[in-house]
Amino acid sequence: MRAVLAGMTVQMALVAVTPFVVIDILLQPLVYGLIVGSQIDRPDVTLMVGIAFFGVWGAVITQGALAVVLERQWRTLEFAVASPTSSGLPLAGKVLAAALNGLLAIPGAWLLIALAWDVPTSVGIGQVAAAIAVGVGGFIGLGMLLVGFLARHRFFAGMLNGLYDVLAVLACLFVPAALLPGVLDSVSWLLGPRWAMEALRVSASGGGGWNELAIGAGASLCAIAVGVAYLMRYENALRRHPEALLL
Amino acid sequence: MIDALARFGVSCVLSYRALFTWLNPYGYLSSRIAFPVFVAVLFALVADGAGRDTIRPIVGGTLLAVALAVCFGMALAVGNERQFGTLSAWLAAPEGLMASLLGKASIHLIDGLIGASLTLTVSAIAFDVSVSPTQALELSVVVATVVLSTLGAATLVAAAVVRWRDTFTPPNLVVQLLMLFSGALVAVEELPFDAAWLSPVLPLTHAVDAGLSVMDGDGLVVGPLLWEVAVGAAWGALGYAALRVTLHRARVHGSLEVS
């Protein structure tokens, strides 16, 4: 636990001195939110959470990837793998910190919608909090998978750039799942954030939405479990295939 | 003349291969194909869900593909010169700054055209939008003007990259600005605040108007295209001046190679 917290603390300190993070967490999500909000009848909590999730995902991709890529670039990945403490733990902490950083988009999104349109109030606060927890959990699981993948395999510059918008579509952050074409819809079933967003949409239109939240919680927990297992085993993989330690 | 052109061609290819670090199958596919295609798909889905016409995000996404390629390409081409410690050698070359900048941009412009074609094809198929051969030809003229106008904006991006020693923040800021205020993804008058004063001075805005006219069946409208080129030229002049000033300051302060 101490290793996870140490990873989180270091990541938070790094982020505080990185201006580029503001683009991932705030600027890009808010720009997308403004474009989407200008086209729909009444921007509400669903849009606010969609913007926030986009911020979380942006933070997880950028910060998660940088955590591994910089370790490799600074030639410290080798020491991390040789360390008696599993280096998966601080990496998991870094992903958690990235997701927490991404949550800064929530007040930004709330303020944007309140100033531009109206105070978003269509769904109860408890359900919004539950949906955010489910969605962020899903992104943390995805982040751990991503970081584990990048630690096991060589990183190629630019390889993550397309993921921002692909996930925005698949996780239904700005459009209902009913609009997704068949193949994309099938893939998106695996993602907890999709169910969190759908729960909010059902709730905003007068339904319950708790079934969707339950499915989403299950999907997110599965993603976290797979992510943790993948991340914890990456050191063995690296010891067997040390070429991944190279630049 | 032919010899000079051949050397220019070699310089373009070398610059692209050495400095465009996204030139690997994963990076290229993700950055140059998936990124613009999914921007168009995402906002076309949004428009579809809101019961609006999907033409604007499809045309706008197509034009944005060019802007993305050129802005990020130039940022990487110039930013990596500093990163790799070759900035002074680049600037000392007899080629000259203008020719060198054009060389750095040229293959990214071709990349932008490829990205734009793929974005238009995929999104038109996905949203069942028919594009006649005549419209495709007219759209290619519009795309060509965007190539010129975003080249101007990308020169300013290059200057900012050198000035602030940050390869990714300036192009990202410009791309977000274009997404929001150029009308590529949403009509500017629909934004919840008045941005009508800003939109006409940005690259893409007039090209989006021209592209929408083409898709409406009105054919090529020359006025917006001329404006697009003029706006691009203005940004290019500003960018070139900014780059010269920045490089001069860097020489005076001996900070050219600081990465």
Side-chain angles (χ1 to χ4, degrees), chain A residues 20 23 27-28 31-32 34-36 38-40 116-117 156-163 165-166 168-169 174-175 179-180 184, chain B residues 21-22 24 26-27 30-31 35 38-39 42-43 45-47 49-50 52 168-169 172-173 176 179-180 185-186 190-193:
Chain A
F20 184 66
I23 289 178
L27 182 68
Q28 192 174 355
V31 165
Y32 275 46
L34 268 171
I35 296 171
V36 175
S38 301
Q39 299 183 65
I40 55 183
W117 294 285
F156 294 92
M159 67 190 285
L160 303 177
N161 292 340
L163 281 185
D165 291 86
V166 170
V169 171
F174 301 113
V175 287
L179 289 175
L180 291 189
L184 297 183
Chain B
T21 40
W22 297 348
N24 60 75
Y26 307 102
S30 180
S31 310
F35 187 17
F38 270 86
V39 165
L42 172 64
F43 289 105
L45 281 171
V46 169
R52 288 159 183 259
F168 293 109
T169 303
N172 270 294
L173 284 175
Q176 299 304 320
M179 279 184 169
L180 188 57
L185 302 171
V186 62
E190 288 185 284
L191 291 174
F193 47 82

Side-chain angles (χ1 to χ4, degrees), chain B residues 172-198:
Chain B
N172 270 294
L173 284 175
V174 168
V175 165
Q176 299 304 320
L177 201 68
L178 293 180
M179 279 184 169
L180 188 57
F181 295 119
S182 72
L185 302 171
V186 62
V188 179
E189 53 271 19
E190 288 185 284
L191 291 174
F193 47 82
D194 182 19
W197 58 274
L198 176 63

Side-chain angles (χ1 to χ4, degrees), chain A residues 25-122:
Chain A
I25 295 176
L26 276 178
L27 182 68
Q28 192 174 355
L30 294 184
V31 165
Y32 275 46
L34 268 171
I35 296 171
V36 175
S38 301
Q39 299 183 65
I40 55 183
D41 283 340
R42 187 176 153 72
D44 60 3
V45 165
T46 315
L47 178 62
M48 184 192 88
V49 176
I51 294 171
F53 281 176
F54 198 47
V56 171
W57 179 232
V60 166
I61 290 186
T62 309
Q63 295 175 39
L66 277 180
V68 176
V69 171
L70 291 180
E71 289 269 13
R72 185 177 283 130
Q73 205 167 329
W74 294 335
R75 305 280 184 188
T76 46
L77 194 57
E78 190 178 342
F79 295 104
V81 172
S83 155
T85 305
S86 170
S87 55
L89 295 173
L91 280 180
K94 282 172 177 269
V95 173
L96 283 173
L100 288 179
N101 286 325
L103 288 178
L104 284 174
I106 292 180
W110 188 91
L111 203 62
L112 174 83
I113 295 176
L115 288 175
W117 294 285
D118 202 357
V119 176
T121 53
S122 55

Side-chain angles (χ1 to χ4, degrees), chain B residues 4 11 13 27 41 43 45 60 64 73 76 80 91 98 139-140 144 171 183 187 198-202 218 233 241 249:
Chain B
S11 157
V13 172
V41 167
F43 289 105
L45 281 171
L64 265 173
L76 283 168
N80 280 340
L91 294 170
M98 180 69 87
L139 276 180
S140 63
L198 176 63
S199 168
V201 299
L202 291 178
D218 297 339
R249 278 171 53 96

